């Protein structure tokens, strides 16, 4: 992980991400390019320098949630959410209180309180299981209480 941190925070890599991510994000707004631009945007954000990721990941997460209602986009969006959560939990070492506050606000949108199902007709539970697995492996007590 330390080697990856050093490589991902390299100034040249940062310049590349500063060109790739905004362009991919712009392309996501065009339905024709969404299926290509979306994975590129998420991946570029996940391999972005630490501060760049922290600055933009919640906005990307919010955008993803708006697309999750469309069945066509649900699986790619969930894959992106899994990647963002993993990156946040394992690359961004923030204090427990900060992490749980951020995760609380975002996860309540994925796992709404008072509902017996996550999304109607959800047949791909593996990605939801991955999300909970990552949270439980990093913040066990928080994950149990969630």
């Amino acid at each position: 992980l330390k080697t990856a941190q050093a490589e991902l925070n390299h100034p040249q890599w940062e310049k590349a991400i500063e060109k790739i991510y905004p362009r991919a994000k712009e392309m996501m707004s065009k339905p024709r390019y969404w299926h290509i631009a979306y994975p590129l945007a998420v991946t570029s954000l996940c391999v972005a320098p630490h501060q760049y990721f922290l600055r933009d990941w919640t906005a990307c997460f919010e955008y993803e949630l708006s697309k999750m209602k469309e069945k066509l986009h649900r699986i790619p969006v969930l894959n992106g959410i899994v990647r963002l959560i993993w990156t946040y939990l394992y690359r961004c070492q923030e204090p427990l209180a900060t992490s749980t506050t951020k995760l609380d606000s975002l996860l309540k949108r994925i796992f709404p309180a008072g509902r017996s199902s996550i999304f109607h007709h959800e047949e791909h539970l593996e990605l939801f299981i991955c999300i909970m697995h990552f949270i439980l492996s990093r913040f066990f007590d928080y994950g149990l209480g969630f």
Side-chain angles (χ1 to χ4, degrees):
L1 194 59
K2 291 183 186 219
T3 302
Q5 289 287 24
E7 291 174 358
L8 297 177
N9 289 319
H10 191 277
Q12 290 299 99
W13 183 248
E14 187 172 354
K15 287 179 185 176
I17 294 299
E18 287 174 357
K19 291 182 187 242
I20 294 169
Y21 178 69
R23 191 107 194 232
K25 190 174 165 186
E26 179 184 317
M27 287 175 62
M28 284 189 324
S29 65
K30 299 177 176 119
R32 178 179 178 186
Y33 300 119
W34 189 88
H35 283 289
I36 295 162
Y38 173 73
L40 175 62
V42 170
T43 303
S44 64
L45 191 57
C46 288
V47 297
H50 181 259
Q51 292 303 321
Y52 195 97
F53 176 82
L54 283 176
R55 184 187 71 214
D56 292 332
W57 86 280
T58 52
C60 187
F61 194 100
E62 294 291 332
Y63 170 80
E64 292 172 347
L65 289 176
S66 69
K67 288 285 196 182
M68 208 155 141
K69 293 177 183 166
E70 301 170 37
K71 187 172 179 136
L72 178 66
H73 296 126
R74 193 169 302 143
I75 298 303
V77 165
L78 281 170
N79 275 311
I81 288 172
V82 167
R83 288 178 185 191
L84 288 173
I85 288 175
W86 185 93
T87 302
Y88 178 69
L89 290 173
Y90 290 97
R91 276 194 51 221
C92 303
Q93 304 297 320
E94 291 191 312
L96 178 63
T98 305
S99 296
T100 55
T101 302
K102 284 183 182 178
L103 289 172
D104 251 352
S105 64
L106 298 172
L107 292 177
K108 285 182 179 174
R109 308 247 336 256
I110 298 174
F111 302 105
R115 286 180 60 186
S116 60
S117 65
I118 299 168
F119 282 96
H120 44 286
H121 311 300
E122 189 56 58
E123 59 275 345
H124 299 282
L125 294 176
E126 297 87 10
L127 296 168
F128 293 102
I129 293 167
C130 283
I131 292 168
M132 290 310 300
H133 170 77
F134 294 147
I135 291 168
L136 286 166
S137 67
R138 186 81 173 105
F139 302 121
F140 186 74
D141 292 335
Y142 169 74
L144 281 179
F146 190 80

